[in-house]
Amino acid sequence: DYVYSVVHSESIPSWPLGMQKIQAIISRTYAVYQMQQARLAGTHYRFYDIRNTNLHQVYNGTHNCTHLRQAVDETHDLILTYKNNIALTMFDVCCGGTIPNNMRDKDTSKPYLCRKERCLFCTACPAYQWKEDMHEKTFLQMLHAAPHIKHKFKTFSGSITDIKITDTDKAGLARKVKVYDKKKHAVTLTGNEFRLVTPRKIK
């Protein structure tokens, strides 16, 4: 039932059955992997092992898309493994053309996540390249309201005068971003901290 709900949240209902089966298998594998890791880490006593957000995989509860049940039933009990270990089947709606092997934090113990070639398959996806227009005051309010970074902006003076990416890895992913105020004081954020301020919603 969990996988059935996740497939609805993490796929497009109109995708062909074959793709829905793939989504069912990787979603099931990802869940089993996280459950296993929680037990290995001794944290399985918590109320959950998997967050219901895009940090893990989205679970929006029950739904009425009965056609997705076929994809789940026909892949019942199937998971992906690598060298007799449960695989970490990370996925996203679009890779953005990133070469994972060039990422600074690549996991060399999982070579199946370290693709060495640029993928051009999803260049037509709305998430491949996009921009967001936002008023400076609106963005500053979002920085002050974001629970994970708002403490960094307690001494920030007035408006934003500049934002600069100061560190990237070979894959082109932003590692550090500096936000400057009118007194030229800079707040340094990690790339992930900056991205989480304005999560992109793909329509």
Side-chain angles (χ1 to χ4, degrees), residues 81-144:
T81 63
Y82 177 76
K83 291 187 176 181
N84 296 319
N85 293 313
I86 301 169
L88 174 56
T89 51
M90 299 170 67
F91 60 90
D92 205 338
V93 68
C94 178
C95 71
T98 299
I99 302 176
N101 193 60
N102 291 345
M103 294 172 65
R104 190 176 301 170
D105 294 334
K106 65 182 178 182
D107 188 342
T108 55
S109 70
K110 300 177 179 62
Y112 52 85
L113 294 178
C114 301
R115 175 171 42 81
K116 297 180 180 180
E117 296 80 26
R118 184 178 300 279
C119 166
L120 300 177
F121 183 77
C122 52
T123 53
C125 176
Y128 189 84
Q129 187 176 14
W130 54 273
K131 76 174 184 177
E132 189 80 27
D133 293 321
M134 187 180 300
H135 195 281
E136 177 265 337
K137 288 184 179 180
T138 301
F139 188 62
L140 184 58
Q141 289 174 348
M142 295 174 74
L143 292 171
H144 280 291

Side-chain angles (χ1 to χ4, degrees), residues 92-203:
D92 205 338
V93 68
C94 178
C95 71
T98 299
I99 302 176
N101 193 60
N102 291 345
M103 294 172 65
R104 190 176 301 170
D105 294 334
K106 65 182 178 182
D107 188 342
T108 55
S109 70
K110 300 177 179 62
Y112 52 85
L113 294 178
C114 301
R115 175 171 42 81
K116 297 180 180 180
E117 296 80 26
R118 184 178 300 279
C119 166
L120 300 177
F121 183 77
C122 52
T123 53
C125 176
Y128 189 84
Q129 187 176 14
W130 54 273
K131 76 174 184 177
E132 189 80 27
D133 293 321
M134 187 180 300
H135 195 281
E136 177 265 337
K137 288 184 179 180
T138 301
F139 188 62
L140 184 58
Q141 289 174 348
M142 295 174 74
L143 292 171
H144 280 291
H148 62 296
I149 59 169
K150 63 181 181 181
H151 63 281
K152 295 185 177 184
F153 288 88
K154 287 183 178 180
T155 59
F156 202 79
S157 302
S159 60
I160 297 172
T161 58
D162 201 1
I163 299 175
K164 291 182 179 180
I165 297 174
T166 58
D167 183 29
T168 62
D169 62 18
K170 291 182 179 179
L173 299 182
R175 302 289 305 172
K176 291 183 180 179
V177 179
K178 285 190 176 182
V179 183
Y180 295 85
D181 64 14
K182 61 183 180 181
K183 293 183 178 179
K184 295 185 179 181
H185 170 68
V187 173
T188 300
L189 303 174
T190 67
N192 282 333
E193 286 175 335
F194 189 83
R195 282 188 286 271
L196 286 172
V197 174
T198 56
R200 172 69 170 170
K201 295 182 178 180
I202 305 302
K203 299 180 180 179

